[in-house]
Amino acid sequence: MTIFQFPQDFRWGTATASYQIEGAAQEGGRGVSIWDTFARTPGKVFNGDNGDVACDSYHRYEEDIELMKKLGINTYRFSIAWPRIIPDGDGEINREGLDFYHRFVDKLLEAGIEPFCTLYHWDLPQTLEDIGGWGNRRTVDAFVKYAEVIFKEFSGKINFWLTFNEPWCIAFLSNLLGIHAPGNKDLQTSINVAHGLLVAHGKAVQSFRRLGTTGQIGIAPNVCWAEPYSKSPEDQAACDRSIALNTDWFLDPIYKGAYPQFMVDWFAEAGATVPIQEGDMEIISQPIDLLGINYYTMGINRFNPEAGVLQSEEVDMGLTKTDIGWPVESRGLYEFMHYLQKYGNVDVYITENGACINDDLENGKINDDRRIAYYEQHLAQIHRIINDGINLKGYMAWSLMDNFEWAEGYRMRFGLVHVDYRSLVRTPKESFYWYQNVIKNNWVETRI
Ligand SMILES: N=NNCCOCCOc1ccc(-c2cn(C[C@@H]3NC[C@@H](O)[C@H]3O)nn2)cc1
């Protein structure tokens, strides 16, 4: 056994998102989001599941905060639903929505838990998608207006901010692959969305500074770490493209003020260009204070001209997989964090990491040993990363509780707490108690 001690000021937390846990979709003045529309489109979400009720956290947030206190976390990542704040996306402010989040944040602070707020976790007001979504500059300006409302309301209460969760998912999973809302399948559209959200990010950061909002602000890309199946240059290049589309496509504009040229050229070959307007790159590259990194898995990739726009396919190497089919390989997190150093030793928080393990209740317990093993391996890598001098400041497990896993509906369970979706009863899993002990001790005991 090996014991890894974490720094005294290391932040331990969990993460969720509004559409995935809140429910109350037609309550509190909330407007319609693209996920309400997408989930009601036949065939888009497993079993026709939707977020109408979810975990009912809109009504049960005090119970959720009691679970957080029991777990012992000092940081809780959540997202604000834009459709609760400005229901038609760009019009009147809904006071009832603001009041809900004030009650929630006040309860978190009362519990001694630091709110870590994501402004956009995929629930775009449908009215803005109707005018072209992130590809329309009116959506960009509407986002800035929404962000400014939140900054003014919560400055002093919230001190950790993220503009966007997983920009690759917002742009490419949702507008090129069509797997998430709104379900477009067009390369130019996805590049327009990526650029629009980057401009919105930069403008929101400018507003954050101009308003003197308290705290630090950043963005949370999801990682696609890939290593080549062979030593061939084609396989290495296929990996470079996969990694770059999740990371460099967003972080180069933010940290360097320009897109990665090799990817711009790659997309030009496919007939797509980035709709850059005068001044955009200066706006996008506003200095930020932190990065959130969401890591789940890594791939072994090879060149395949038939494998989508990147011509990069993942090879099944027979590794243990979670129940959503993702290989368990914590090494990718270590490799990626060193890759990230090309942007400087920036402050990083792991804002999502976790395993889809669908164990169910047995005699009132959930013995999710595979989830414990996943966390053990990944926290050991976290310790290695910190030991290498990388500024990794905190860790948020995805997720506090089972919730609506997008196109997978409720069949895929990532929670430390089990949710019975009929009764909404929450039951801490064995992994909850394991993580509780890690947090209490501020060290992890691993078998590696
Ligand atoms: N890369 N190319 N893929 C080629 C084909 O992919 C098909 C499927 O793709 C994906 C890729 C990534 C995801 C995903 C899900 N989560 C978990 C959520 N994170 C934010 C939070 O809300 C969690 O629920 N993170 N990532 C889903 C599907």
Side-chain angles (χ1 to χ4, degrees), residues 17-20 22-23 30-31 33 58 78-87 94 97-98 100-101 117-125 146 150:
S18 48
Y19 189 80
Q20 296 181 270
E22 285 180 1
R30 178 183 176 286
S33 77
Y58 183 81
F78 67 102
S79 76
I80 290 178
W82 183 350
R84 290 196 185 281
I85 308 303
I86 305 180
N94 175 34
L98 290 170
F100 163 69
Y101 289 108
C117 177
T118 308
L119 289 170
Y120 185 81
H121 200 126
W122 305 355
D123 39 4
L124 182 72
Y146 154 65
I150 299 299

Short mmCIF file of all heavy atoms in Angstrom, two decimals, residues 17-20 22-23 30-31 33 58 78-87 94 97-98 100-101 117-125 146 150:
data_model
loop_
_atom_site.label_atom_id
_atom_site.label_comp_id
_atom_site.label_asym_id
_atom_site.label_seq_id
_atom_site.Cartn_x
_atom_site.Cartn_y
_atom_site.Cartn_z
N ALA A 17 -24.54 19.72 -12.74
CA ALA A 17 -24.94 20.75 -13.70
C ALA A 17 -26.44 20.91 -13.65
O ALA A 17 -27.17 19.94 -13.39
CB ALA A 17 -24.48 20.38 -15.10
N SER A 18 -26.92 22.12 -13.97
CA SER A 18 -28.33 22.48 -13.77
C SER A 18 -29.29 21.51 -14.45
O SER A 18 -30.15 20.92 -13.80
CB SER A 18 -28.57 23.91 -14.25
OG SER A 18 -28.00 24.14 -15.53
N TYR A 19 -29.15 21.34 -15.77
CA TYR A 19 -30.15 20.52 -16.47
C TYR A 19 -30.13 19.08 -15.98
O TYR A 19 -31.15 18.38 -16.00
CB TYR A 19 -29.94 20.55 -18.00
CG TYR A 19 -31.09 19.88 -18.72
CD1 TYR A 19 -32.29 20.56 -18.96
CD2 TYR A 19 -31.00 18.53 -19.11
CE1 TYR A 19 -33.36 19.93 -19.58
CE2 TYR A 19 -32.08 17.90 -19.73
CZ TYR A 19 -33.25 18.60 -19.96
OH TYR A 19 -34.32 17.97 -20.56
N GLN A 20 -28.98 18.62 -15.49
CA GLN A 20 -28.84 17.21 -15.13
C GLN A 20 -29.44 16.88 -13.77
O GLN A 20 -29.76 15.70 -13.50
CB GLN A 20 -27.36 16.83 -15.15
CG GLN A 20 -26.76 16.93 -16.54
CD GLN A 20 -25.32 16.53 -16.57
OE1 GLN A 20 -24.43 17.36 -16.39
NE2 GLN A 20 -25.05 15.26 -16.79
N GLU A 22 -31.56 19.53 -11.65
CA GLU A 22 -32.58 20.40 -11.05
C GLU A 22 -34.01 19.90 -11.19
O GLU A 22 -34.80 19.98 -10.24
CB GLU A 22 -32.48 21.82 -11.65
CG GLU A 22 -31.32 22.64 -11.16
CD GLU A 22 -31.28 24.03 -11.79
OE1 GLU A 22 -32.19 24.36 -12.60
OE2 GLU A 22 -30.35 24.78 -11.49
N GLY A 23 -34.40 19.46 -12.38
CA GLY A 23 -35.82 19.22 -12.63
C GLY A 23 -36.57 20.55 -12.61
O GLY A 23 -36.01 21.59 -12.98
N ARG A 30 -38.86 29.43 -15.34
CA ARG A 30 -37.83 28.94 -16.27
C ARG A 30 -38.33 28.86 -17.69
O ARG A 30 -39.47 28.45 -17.93
CB ARG A 30 -37.38 27.56 -15.82
CG ARG A 30 -36.32 26.84 -16.67
CD ARG A 30 -36.07 25.49 -16.10
NE ARG A 30 -35.17 24.59 -16.79
CZ ARG A 30 -35.44 23.91 -17.91
NH1 ARG A 30 -36.58 24.14 -18.55
NH2 ARG A 30 -34.58 23.05 -18.42
N GLY A 31 -37.48 29.27 -18.62
CA GLY A 31 -37.81 29.17 -20.05
C GLY A 31 -37.35 27.83 -20.60
O GLY A 31 -36.76 27.02 -19.90
N SER A 33 -35.11 25.26 -22.77
CA SER A 33 -33.72 25.15 -23.23
C SER A 33 -33.62 24.18 -24.40
O SER A 33 -34.55 23.40 -24.65
CB SER A 33 -32.82 24.61 -22.09
OG SER A 33 -33.01 23.19 -21.96
N TYR A 58 -33.99 21.15 -7.59
CA TYR A 58 -34.58 22.49 -7.44
C TYR A 58 -35.32 22.59 -6.10
O TYR A 58 -35.27 23.61 -5.42
CB TYR A 58 -35.55 22.76 -8.59
CG TYR A 58 -36.18 24.14 -8.59
CD1 TYR A 58 -35.47 25.24 -9.08
CD2 TYR A 58 -37.45 24.34 -8.08
CE1 TYR A 58 -36.05 26.51 -9.09
CE2 TYR A 58 -38.04 25.61 -8.08
CZ TYR A 58 -37.33 26.68 -8.58
OH TYR A 58 -37.89 27.94 -8.57
N PHE A 78 -21.28 23.74 -9.55
CA PHE A 78 -22.65 23.64 -10.06
C PHE A 78 -22.77 24.58 -11.25
O PHE A 78 -21.88 25.39 -11.52
CB PHE A 78 -23.66 24.04 -8.97
CG PHE A 78 -23.58 25.49 -8.59
CD1 PHE A 78 -24.50 26.42 -9.05
CD2 PHE A 78 -22.54 25.96 -7.77
CE1 PHE A 78 -24.40 27.77 -8.72
CE2 PHE A 78 -22.43 27.32 -7.43
CZ PHE A 78 -23.36 28.22 -7.91
N SER A 79 -23.88 24.50 -11.98
CA SER A 79 -24.07 25.49 -13.05
C SER A 79 -25.40 26.21 -12.86
O SER A 79 -26.33 25.66 -12.24
CB SER A 79 -24.03 24.82 -14.43
OG SER A 79 -25.23 24.13 -14.70
N ILE A 80 -25.44 27.43 -13.36
CA ILE A 80 -26.67 28.22 -13.34
C ILE A 80 -27.38 28.01 -14.68
O ILE A 80 -26.74 28.02 -15.74
CB ILE A 80 -26.35 29.71 -13.09
CG1 ILE A 80 -25.86 29.90 -11.65
CG2 ILE A 80 -27.57 30.60 -13.38
CD1 ILE A 80 -25.47 31.31 -11.29
N ALA A 81 -28.68 27.79 -14.62
CA ALA A 81 -29.47 27.60 -15.84
C ALA A 81 -29.85 28.98 -16.39
O ALA A 81 -30.70 29.69 -15.82
CB ALA A 81 -30.71 26.79 -15.53
N TRP A 82 -29.26 29.34 -17.51
CA TRP A 82 -29.57 30.61 -18.18
C TRP A 82 -31.09 30.75 -18.37
O TRP A 82 -31.64 31.84 -18.10
CB TRP A 82 -28.83 30.61 -19.52
CG TRP A 82 -28.91 31.81 -20.39
CD1 TRP A 82 -29.71 32.89 -20.28
CD2 TRP A 82 -28.11 32.03 -21.55
NE1 TRP A 82 -29.47 33.77 -21.30
CE2 TRP A 82 -28.49 33.26 -22.11
CE3 TRP A 82 -27.09 31.29 -22.20
CZ2 TRP A 82 -27.90 33.78 -23.27
CZ3 TRP A 82 -26.52 31.81 -23.34
CH2 TRP A 82 -26.91 33.03 -23.86
N PRO A 83 -31.83 29.71 -18.77
CA PRO A 83 -33.27 29.87 -18.96
C PRO A 83 -34.05 30.19 -17.68
O PRO A 83 -35.20 30.60 -17.74
CB PRO A 83 -33.72 28.50 -19.51
CG PRO A 83 -32.50 27.89 -20.09
CD PRO A 83 -31.38 28.36 -19.21
N ARG A 84 -33.40 30.02 -16.49
CA ARG A 84 -34.06 30.47 -15.25
C ARG A 84 -33.84 31.96 -15.02
O ARG A 84 -34.58 32.59 -14.27
CB ARG A 84 -33.54 29.70 -14.02
CG ARG A 84 -33.94 28.25 -13.96
CD ARG A 84 -33.76 27.62 -12.57
NE ARG A 84 -34.05 26.20 -12.62
CZ ARG A 84 -35.29 25.69 -12.64
NH1 ARG A 84 -36.34 26.50 -12.60
NH2 ARG A 84 -35.48 24.39 -12.71
N ILE A 85 -32.79 32.52 -15.61
CA ILE A 85 -32.39 33.90 -15.34
C ILE A 85 -32.98 34.84 -16.39
O ILE A 85 -33.55 35.89 -16.05
CB ILE A 85 -30.86 34.02 -15.32
CG1 ILE A 85 -30.25 32.97 -14.36
CG2 ILE A 85 -30.44 35.44 -14.96
CD1 ILE A 85 -30.76 33.04 -12.93
N ILE A 86 -32.85 34.49 -17.65
CA ILE A 86 -33.47 35.27 -18.74
C ILE A 86 -34.21 34.26 -19.62
O ILE A 86 -33.65 33.72 -20.58
CB ILE A 86 -32.39 36.04 -19.55
CG1 ILE A 86 -31.55 36.91 -18.61
CG2 ILE A 86 -33.05 36.90 -20.63
CD1 ILE A 86 -30.45 37.71 -19.29
N PRO A 87 -35.45 33.94 -19.28
CA PRO A 87 -36.18 32.82 -19.88
C PRO A 87 -36.25 32.82 -21.40
O PRO A 87 -36.16 31.77 -22.03
CB PRO A 87 -37.58 32.95 -19.26
CG PRO A 87 -37.33 33.61 -17.93
CD PRO A 87 -36.21 34.58 -18.18
N ASN A 94 -35.63 37.25 -14.91
CA ASN A 94 -36.58 36.53 -14.05
C ASN A 94 -36.09 36.54 -12.60
O ASN A 94 -35.22 35.74 -12.22
CB ASN A 94 -36.74 35.09 -14.56
CG ASN A 94 -37.62 34.27 -13.64
OD1 ASN A 94 -38.57 34.76 -13.05
ND2 ASN A 94 -37.27 32.99 -13.50
N GLY A 97 -35.78 33.33 -10.66
CA GLY A 97 -34.62 32.47 -10.94
C GLY A 97 -33.41 32.90 -10.14
O GLY A 97 -32.72 32.08 -9.53
N LEU A 98 -33.16 34.21 -10.11
CA LEU A 98 -32.03 34.72 -9.30
C LEU A 98 -32.21 34.36 -7.84
O LEU A 98 -31.27 33.94 -7.17
CB LEU A 98 -31.92 36.24 -9.49
CG LEU A 98 -31.43 36.72 -10.85
CD1 LEU A 98 -31.59 38.24 -10.97
CD2 LEU A 98 -29.97 36.31 -11.08
N PHE A 100 -33.76 31.88 -6.51
CA PHE A 100 -33.48 30.45 -6.27
C PHE A 100 -31.98 30.22 -6.06
O PHE A 100 -31.55 29.59 -5.09
CB PHE A 100 -33.98 29.59 -7.43
CG PHE A 100 -33.39 28.20 -7.43
CD1 PHE A 100 -33.74 27.28 -6.43
CD2 PHE A 100 -32.45 27.81 -8.38
CE1 PHE A 100 -33.18 26.01 -6.39
CE2 PHE A 100 -31.89 26.53 -8.35
CZ PHE A 100 -32.25 25.63 -7.35
N TYR A 101 -31.18 30.81 -6.94
CA TYR A 101 -29.73 30.59 -6.83
C TYR A 101 -29.14 31.33 -5.63
O TYR A 101 -28.18 30.87 -5.01
CB TYR A 101 -29.02 30.95 -8.14
CG TYR A 101 -29.32 29.96 -9.24
CD1 TYR A 101 -30.15 30.30 -10.31
CD2 TYR A 101 -28.83 28.65 -9.18
CE1 TYR A 101 -30.47 29.37 -11.30
CE2 TYR A 101 -29.13 27.72 -10.16
CZ TYR A 101 -29.96 28.08 -11.22
OH TYR A 101 -30.28 27.16 -12.19
N CYS A 117 -18.84 28.11 -9.76
CA CYS A 117 -20.00 28.29 -10.64
C CYS A 117 -19.66 28.24 -12.12
O CYS A 117 -18.79 28.97 -12.61
CB CYS A 117 -20.64 29.64 -10.33
SG CYS A 117 -22.03 30.04 -11.40
N THR A 118 -20.37 27.39 -12.86
CA THR A 118 -20.28 27.35 -14.32
C THR A 118 -21.45 28.14 -14.89
O THR A 118 -22.61 27.85 -14.58
CB THR A 118 -20.38 25.90 -14.84
OG1 THR A 118 -19.43 25.08 -14.16
CG2 THR A 118 -20.13 25.84 -16.34
N LEU A 119 -21.16 29.15 -15.71
CA LEU A 119 -22.22 29.97 -16.28
C LEU A 119 -23.00 29.22 -17.36
O LEU A 119 -24.21 29.38 -17.48
CB LEU A 119 -21.62 31.25 -16.90
CG LEU A 119 -21.10 32.30 -15.92
CD1 LEU A 119 -20.33 33.38 -16.68
CD2 LEU A 119 -22.24 32.91 -15.12
N TYR A 120 -22.31 28.42 -18.16
CA TYR A 120 -22.98 27.71 -19.25
C TYR A 120 -22.60 26.25 -19.28
O TYR A 120 -21.48 25.90 -19.63
CB TYR A 120 -22.66 28.36 -20.61
CG TYR A 120 -23.42 27.73 -21.76
CD1 TYR A 120 -24.74 28.09 -22.01
CD2 TYR A 120 -22.84 26.74 -22.56
CE1 TYR A 120 -25.46 27.49 -23.05
CE2 TYR A 120 -23.56 26.15 -23.58
CZ TYR A 120 -24.87 26.53 -23.83
OH TYR A 120 -25.57 25.93 -24.85
N HIS A 121 -23.56 25.40 -18.90
CA HIS A 121 -23.34 23.95 -18.96
C HIS A 121 -24.42 23.36 -19.86
O HIS A 121 -25.21 22.51 -19.46
CB HIS A 121 -23.37 23.34 -17.56
CG HIS A 121 -22.72 22.00 -17.47
ND1 HIS A 121 -21.71 21.69 -16.57
CD2 HIS A 121 -22.92 20.87 -18.18
CE1 HIS A 121 -21.35 20.42 -16.74
NE2 HIS A 121 -22.06 19.91 -17.70
N TRP A 122 -24.51 23.91 -21.10
CA TRP A 122 -25.19 23.33 -22.23
C TRP A 122 -26.68 23.65 -22.38
O TRP A 122 -27.27 23.32 -23.40
CB TRP A 122 -25.03 21.81 -22.28
CG TRP A 122 -23.60 21.35 -22.25
CD1 TRP A 122 -22.47 22.13 -22.28
CD2 TRP A 122 -23.13 19.99 -22.18
NE1 TRP A 122 -21.35 21.35 -22.22
CE2 TRP A 122 -21.73 20.03 -22.16
CE3 TRP A 122 -23.77 18.76 -22.13
CZ2 TRP A 122 -20.94 18.88 -22.09
CZ3 TRP A 122 -22.99 17.59 -22.05
CH2 TRP A 122 -21.59 17.67 -22.04
N ASP A 123 -27.30 24.30 -21.39
CA ASP A 123 -28.76 24.55 -21.48
C ASP A 123 -29.05 25.93 -22.06
O ASP A 123 -29.56 26.82 -21.39
CB ASP A 123 -29.46 24.35 -20.14
CG ASP A 123 -28.67 24.85 -18.93
OD1 ASP A 123 -27.59 25.45 -19.11
OD2 ASP A 123 -29.16 24.64 -17.80
N LEU A 124 -28.75 26.07 -23.35
CA LEU A 124 -29.00 27.32 -24.08
C LEU A 124 -30.50 27.59 -24.20
O LEU A 124 -31.27 26.65 -24.51
CB LEU A 124 -28.40 27.22 -25.49
CG LEU A 124 -28.52 28.45 -26.40
CD1 LEU A 124 -27.59 29.56 -25.91
CD2 LEU A 124 -28.20 28.07 -27.84
N PRO A 125 -30.97 28.80 -23.96
CA PRO A 125 -32.39 29.11 -24.22
C PRO A 125 -32.74 28.79 -25.67
O PRO A 125 -32.02 29.18 -26.60
CB PRO A 125 -32.48 30.60 -23.92
CG PRO A 125 -31.41 30.86 -22.91
CD PRO A 125 -30.28 29.94 -23.31
N TYR A 146 -26.39 38.08 -19.93
CA TYR A 146 -26.72 37.10 -18.87
C TYR A 146 -25.57 37.03 -17.86
O TYR A 146 -25.77 37.09 -16.64
CB TYR A 146 -26.98 35.74 -19.53
CG TYR A 146 -26.73 34.52 -18.69
CD1 TYR A 146 -27.48 34.26 -17.54
CD2 TYR A 146 -25.73 33.61 -19.03
CE1 TYR A 146 -27.25 33.13 -16.76
CE2 TYR A 146 -25.50 32.48 -18.26
CZ TYR A 146 -26.24 32.24 -17.13
OH TYR A 146 -26.01 31.11 -16.36
N ILE A 150 -25.41 37.91 -13.70
CA ILE A 150 -24.93 36.98 -12.66
C ILE A 150 -23.75 37.58 -11.90
O ILE A 150 -23.68 37.52 -10.66
CB ILE A 150 -24.55 35.62 -13.28
CG1 ILE A 150 -25.76 34.98 -13.96
CG2 ILE A 150 -23.98 34.69 -12.23
CD1 ILE A 150 -26.93 34.69 -13.05
#
